[in-house]
């Protein structure tokens, strides 16, 4: 059974009523260039990120958001038999867990990263957000064990900040963190074909930040064509 929290005269389910946030257009585009296994991992992991993001981005009271986040932190550490079977996000994670992903170690940091985003005006909290949410990209490491975890972490942190500023929320601290991204180091990261969706995401983030065009409408014909070409050729 879900834990219910009494507030006034209503009962709030910290899970089933948690607000939802769709994945970004970039994730949708990039995911289509993966093989069947990669697409399933993208669907499961980015749906999880969107679920956690919705809790934070639509929170009216930080304390209630923290309670909901703690529920997720606790439940991903439980045996499968003790998790709510009707939750679609948890159900989506099960196949990739069977394939070798340790949910608690891989996704626990993502939850804590989003918790830090409850303070988007604080530079230290923004850094914790980037590192924590960025761990979502490192969670793909079991699909390409030869790739350096530090490379995936670099992509993850840059993407976490870029996606937040592009599609969700902007503050001075978030903008400063985006400007501080080392785009030259990001360009040096080379990923295998297996991880092509992540490579597309890294390319989009790098182009936007390098050009200092965070205010332009995303998905201009030139950018879209460049990402499709990269998806097809790796160049």
């Amino acid at each position: 059974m879900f834990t219910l929290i009494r507030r006034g005269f209503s009962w709030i389910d910290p899970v089933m009523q948690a607000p939802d946030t769709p994945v970004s257009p970039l994730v949708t585009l990039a995911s289509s260039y993966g093989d069947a296994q990669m697409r399933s991992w993208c669907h499961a992991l980015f749906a999880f990120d969107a679920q956690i993001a919705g809790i934070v981005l639509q929170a009216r009271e930080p304390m209630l958001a923290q309670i909901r986040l703690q529920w997720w932190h606790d439940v991903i550490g439980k045996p499968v038999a003790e998790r709510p079977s009707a939750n679609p996000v948890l159900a989506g994670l099960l196949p990739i867990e069977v394939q070798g992903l340790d949910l608690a170690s891989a996704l626990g940091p993502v939850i804590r990263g989003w918790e830090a985003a409850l303070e988007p005006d604080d530079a230290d909290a923004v850094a914790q957000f980037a590192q924590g949410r960025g761990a979502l990209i490192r969670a793909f490491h079991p699909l390409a064990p030869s790739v350096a975890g530090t490379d995936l972490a670099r992509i993850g942190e840059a993407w976490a900040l870029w996606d937040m500023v592009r599609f969700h929320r902007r503050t001075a601290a978030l903008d400063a963190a985006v400007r501080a991204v080392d785009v030259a180091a990001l360009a040096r990261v080379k990923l295998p074909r297996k991880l092509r969706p992540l490579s597309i995401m890294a390319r989009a983030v790098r182009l936007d930040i390098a050009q200092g065009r965070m205010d332009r409408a995303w998905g201009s014909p030139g950018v879209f064509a460049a990402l499709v070409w990269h998806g097809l050729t790796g160049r």
Side-chain angles (χ1 to χ4, degrees):
M1 297 294 291
F2 299 117
T3 301
L4 299 178
I5 303 162
R6 185 67 184 270
R7 183 174 180 269
F9 296 100
S10 63
W11 290 95
I12 299 175
D13 183 333
V15 182
M16 300 309 291
Q17 292 186 18
D20 194 16
T21 296
V23 299
S24 74
L26 172 59
V27 168
T28 301
L29 170 67
S31 299
S32 67
Y33 287 91
D35 61 19
Q37 184 185 39
M38 183 65 179
R39 290 196 303 272
S40 70
W41 279 58
C42 285
H43 177 79
L45 289 173
F46 288 110
F48 172 81
D49 178 72
Q51 175 75 36
I52 303 304
I55 294 171
V56 172
L57 295 173
Q58 299 183 40
R60 295 184 179 180
E61 297 184 28
M63 183 175 294
L64 290 180
Q66 289 171 333
I67 291 171
R68 289 167 170 156
L69 292 173
Q70 187 59 49
W71 186 93
W72 278 96
H73 197 275
D74 292 342
V75 81
I76 61 174
K78 292 181 178 181
V80 174
E82 297 179 20
R83 300 175 197 161
S85 59
N87 186 283
V89 173
L90 288 172
L93 290 170
L94 183 57
I96 67 175
E97 185 178 19
V98 171
Q99 294 174 48
L101 184 68
D102 184 322
L103 297 190
S105 62
L107 301 183
V110 178
I111 297 171
R112 293 311 182 208
W114 273 111
E115 184 176 17
L118 289 168
E119 300 182 71
D121 298 305
D122 182 85
D124 289 338
V126 167
Q128 293 170 22
F129 162 73
Q131 184 177 16
R133 188 194 185 195
L136 189 80
I137 302 302
R138 192 162 184 164
F140 287 89
H141 191 255
L143 296 182
S146 63
V147 174
T150 52
D151 284 346
L152 294 179
R154 184 180 296 279
I155 293 173
E157 290 182 24
W159 164 77
L161 292 165
W162 174 89
D163 181 81
M164 178 70 115
V165 169
R166 260 297 185 196
F167 299 108
H168 303 301
R169 185 170 295 168
R170 296 190 72 166
T171 67
L174 283 165
D175 283 349
V178 168
R179 290 193 298 270
V181 171
D182 188 340
V183 293
L186 195 60
R188 291 192 293 270
V189 175
K190 305 299 181 185
L191 298 181
R193 178 66 182 86
K194 182 70 174 180
L195 301 183
R196 182 63 53 80
L198 304 185
S199 182
I200 294 172
M201 292 168 60
R203 175 68 61 91
V205 171
R206 178 170 60 84
L207 290 175
D208 253 10
I209 296 176
Q211 295 174 12
R213 300 289 300 278
M214 297 297 286
D215 290 319
R216 68 181 176 183
W218 189 82
S220 65
V223 170
F224 184 80
L227 297 182
V228 169
W229 178 250
H230 182 68
L232 292 171
T233 68
R235 298 194 294 272

